[in-house]
Amino acid sequence: QVHLVESGGGLVQAGGSLRLSCAASGSIRSINSMGWYRQAPGKQRELVASFTTGGSTNYADSVKGRFTISRDNAKNTVDLQMNSLKPEDTAVYYCKAVMALTTTLYAYSYWGQGTQVTVSS
């Protein structure tokens, strides 16, 4: 069994900052990639930022220059530092990891439960 636990969401005024953290735990054999997605009301879930299998980073155009993703491979964690937040950043933020477990041959996608980020104008 594996768990992805997110923390750090909350309410912040426009222009403020928040830091999200995600920790993966359980019978993990390897982690191919980790990243953050978000889903606003009435909209589809979208990529915010992620590490690829090769270790490079991807950012949504809307967050480039404001958000920074970081990863600690030893701790199986991925963080998202969000600066200069805007009301349009309001959404539920989800951590996603593509992982192979000790009981699986292949890697699969796993999602956290989500954490609410609300940016007031």
Side-chain angles (χ1 to χ4, degrees), residues 32-111:
N32 293 6
S33 63
M34 295 186 80
W36 289 93
Y37 290 70
R38 67 186 180 187
Q39 188 166 18
K43 295 187 177 181
Q44 289 188 332
R45 191 172 298 187
E46 62 175 2
L47 170 72
V48 177
S50 70
F51 282 98
T52 67
T53 302
S56 59
T57 55
N58 286 326
Y59 290 93
D61 288 342
S62 60
V63 307
K64 284 181 180 177
R66 300 188 298 121
F67 292 10
T68 302
I69 191 170
S70 60
R71 179 176 173 178
D72 187 328
N73 291 331
K75 296 181 179 180
N76 291 338
T77 59
V78 62
D79 291 351
L80 184 69
Q81 177 65 43
M82 305 185 294
N83 298 327
S84 302
L85 283 160
K86 304 175 181 180
E88 50 263 43
D89 294 318
T90 295
V92 178
Y93 284 69
Y94 296 91
C95 175
K96 174 187 173 182
V98 179
M99 303 183 288
L101 307 186
T102 56
T103 54
T104 63
L105 179 61
Y106 301 106
Y108 297 93
S109 294
Y110 296 87
W111 293 87

